[in-house]
Amino acid sequence: MCGIIGAITSKSVQADLLQGLKNMEYRGYDSAGICTIDGMQLAVSKAAGKLVNLAGDLEKKEHTGVIGIGHTRWATHGEPTVENAHPHCSGNIAVVHNGIIENHIGLRRKLETHGMRFVSDTDTEVIPALLSKLLKQEPDMEHVMPVLLSQLEGAYALGILNVETSDVLWFARKGSPLLLARGSRGYYIASDGLAVAGVATEMLYLNEGEWGCISQHGVRVFNQEGCEMSDHTWQRMPQLSASTDKCGYEHFMLKEIHEQPSIMTDIMTTYASKRGVQFPNVAWLNDAVLPERIVMVACGTSYHAALTARYWLERYLQVPVEVDVASEYRYRNPIIGSNTWLITLSQSGETADTLEALRLFKRRTPDNRTLAICNVASSSLVRESDGFIALKAGVEIGVASTKAYTAQLAVLALLAMKLAVRSGSMSEQVWQEHYQSMCHLEVDMNETLKCVPDIQSLTPLFANIHGVLFLGRGPSFPLALEGALKLKEISYLHAEGYAAGEMKHGPIALIDAQLPVVIIAPKQYHLDKVISSLHEVKARGAKVILLTDVSMDDYSDEVEKIIPLPTGDYFTAPLLASIPLQLLAYEVAKFKGTDIDQPRNLAKSVTVE
Ligand code: F6R
């Protein structure tokens, strides 16, 4: 979602703001803006479209102020226009905001009756308007901030400038991530550590409800009750900047697809050895009573990883596993028994729905354990969970998740194997076999990457079609969902993933020569039955792409292409089949000429509901 940066430094902040926005552009990219205080006046520059448009404007009109805020937007309220771009101003106040103000219509109506005029369609604009009005009655920002925040319903991370307090930058956080950072030149606020990578050496995560200000000399942080906090736990900035380079690849997505083999080895050397699996941040996985039930909650691609893990956990641990999308889980009435573990999966660790699902689970059953499997160690999800397994995937920049997904699968496979061994349902011999096959993932994935020319040869098949169907069974069924999601996200083609056995119950009506069908058929998961589906779609004229790890030369006349996969076992087969699916989405998107790393309407981190 939107990205926020703010800075107060010893020299002009324009370059730091722009670089920070560039580092966070993956969060939202439909418009951007900055505001500085130049000569005791607000100086605002905004541009619709990608950040390069704003950068071009700033080359012509430079900001000189040493205090400023910046924003890259993912539109929630109002189209991506200059008027709707942040910062939003009223009188001496400028505001950048990430989140959604749910009571903005009521606030706007009230403010309009007091003569305030609005120029944008955004929910955010009520914040500077309300603050200006409050400051007319009480000019002290420190007194007014809690009053302002008490009137805002919804989620926000805020950066606020007030010309009257031009030596401090105000901030607040509720429901949307925000951190403070410091470096040799000054102090910063940011939605994401990446924004200040390169300028800051230390950072401080804000908790829910905290607000305060930064100046050239330090930070002041107040809690929700208005008490000033005296102790601050500053952490060293992690090395984030290097990964934001494409390293010669045309797109971040392609680079991240190619990083997957070595990530598998990183995961294996960090967490597994011949003796078993150890997750250092979750000691209780070694000795806690095994759960009677597991609940897994996530969104999008992370949800698909959870669906695959359900097959593994139910087969080997032999406990019921419930998997739900977080936006549904948090609003239904989930019946959570005792001795139930919640596993949340998230690349970012800031997905609003997943966080709320975790909070609901903790409120309802505080004695149950919660485990976050996440790529961002410092995220809210990790900080609010009882245990954390790091994905070791490195910063993922491409909006369509690839390496975080396979890292989730690999970690989940190890988790299932560890728990299965603990429960006695996986023998030493079976564990060793799966361990060996997991260790071989780097080699096997590199082999899989050789399918690029085959995949490229298929792209013309995706012109003039009315959709694409992905079919799989068992742990390959969620993979079919993921293959369809990847294709939709970056090529804008309609695609659906289906359990192959469900095809006869409806989707078969769609099948004709203009509906390519991708069939995922590893020998591990009911191969004969999947092949029956192949015959059925073929009989109706579909063009079939077959992904399989068995020799199927007999079928070469029946299908457009067979994409050979290295032989996988019950755990590794979906990991290996993921790569051709990601490459298919990538190559089709490239063929169609879409914006692969920043596809329309999407944002990397969905921090609003
Ligand atoms: C798809 C994609 C999204 C995310 C989803 C959850 O390529 O990236 O579907 O998987 O928004 O995000 P995280 O994993 O950060 O919670």
Side-chain angles (χ1 to χ4, degrees), residues 334-373:
I335 312 301
I336 314 168
S338 58
N339 199 16
T340 299
W341 292 359
L342 174 73
I343 302 178
T344 53
L345 289 154
S346 177
Q347 189 286 125
S348 61
E350 300 295 350
T351 302
D353 285 321
T354 309
L355 268 167
E356 284 308 321
L358 166 68
R359 289 169 187 157
L360 169 83
F361 184 92
K362 285 174 60 169
R363 266 196 314 275
R364 291 224 173 158
T365 55
D367 294 337
N368 278 328
R369 293 183 189 266
T370 57
L371 171 65
I373 298 182

Side-chain angles (χ1 to χ4, degrees), residues 299-302 345-349 351 354 399-401 408 482 485-486 489 604 606:
C299 301
T301 290
S302 298
L345 289 154
S346 177
Q347 189 286 125
S348 61
T351 302
T354 309
V399 164
S401 184
Q408 283 170 343
E482 175 58 10
L485 178 65
K486 250 356 32 122
E489 283 182 295
K604 184 75 186 152
V606 185

Side-chain angles (χ1 to χ4, degrees), residues 264-273 278-280 390 392 414:
M264 295 301 115
T265 299
D266 269 3
I267 289 174
M268 289 306 288
T269 49
T270 309
Y271 297 129
S273 72
Q278 284 298 335
F279 294 112
K392 318 282 310 166
L414 290 180

Side-chain angles (χ1 to χ4, degrees), residues 253 260 297-309 323 325 345-347 351 354 391 396 398-409 412 478-479 481-487 489 578 582 602 604 606:
M253 182 179 177
Q260 294 176 103
V297 176
C299 301
T301 290
S302 298
Y303 166 68
H304 294 157
L307 286 175
T308 291
V323 183
V325 284
L345 289 154
S346 177
Q347 189 286 125
T351 302
T354 309
L391 289 177
E396 192 178 65
V399 164
S401 184
T402 52
K403 61 179 183 171
Y405 169 67
T406 46
Q408 283 170 343
L409 288 177
L412 285 163
L479 208 56
L481 298 176
E482 175 58 10
L485 178 65
K486 250 356 32 122
L487 191 69
E489 283 182 295
S578 303
Q582 295 165 351
L602 293 176
K604 184 75 186 152
V606 185

Side-chain angles (χ1 to χ4, degrees), residues 279-338:
F279 294 112
N281 294 321
V282 215
W284 54 263
L285 282 174
N286 295 331
D287 43 32
V289 175
L290 286 173
E292 283 161 41
R293 190 179 188 84
I294 292 178
V295 178
M296 300 175 84
V297 176
C299 301
T301 290
S302 298
Y303 166 68
H304 294 157
L307 286 175
T308 291
R310 174 167 64 188
Y311 289 87
W312 295 334
L313 286 161
E314 287 188 342
R315 176 170 170 147
Y316 286 105
L317 185 60
Q318 296 170 13
V319 297
V321 178
E322 178 187 340
V323 183
D324 206 351
V325 284
S327 54
E328 287 300 314
Y329 187 83
R330 64 181 283 197
Y331 287 117
R332 63 185 173 86
N333 181 29
I335 312 301
I336 314 168
S338 58

Side-chain angles (χ1 to χ4, degrees), residues 93 131-145 162 164-165 170:
I93 304 295
L131 184 55
S132 287
K133 177 173 167 289
L134 293 171
L135 285 166
K136 286 195 182 122
Q137 291 140 23
E138 161 61 81
D140 186 337
M141 275 293 276
E142 199 175 314
H143 288 137
V144 168
M145 279 294 284
N162 179 353
E164 298 300 328
T165 56
W170 299 87

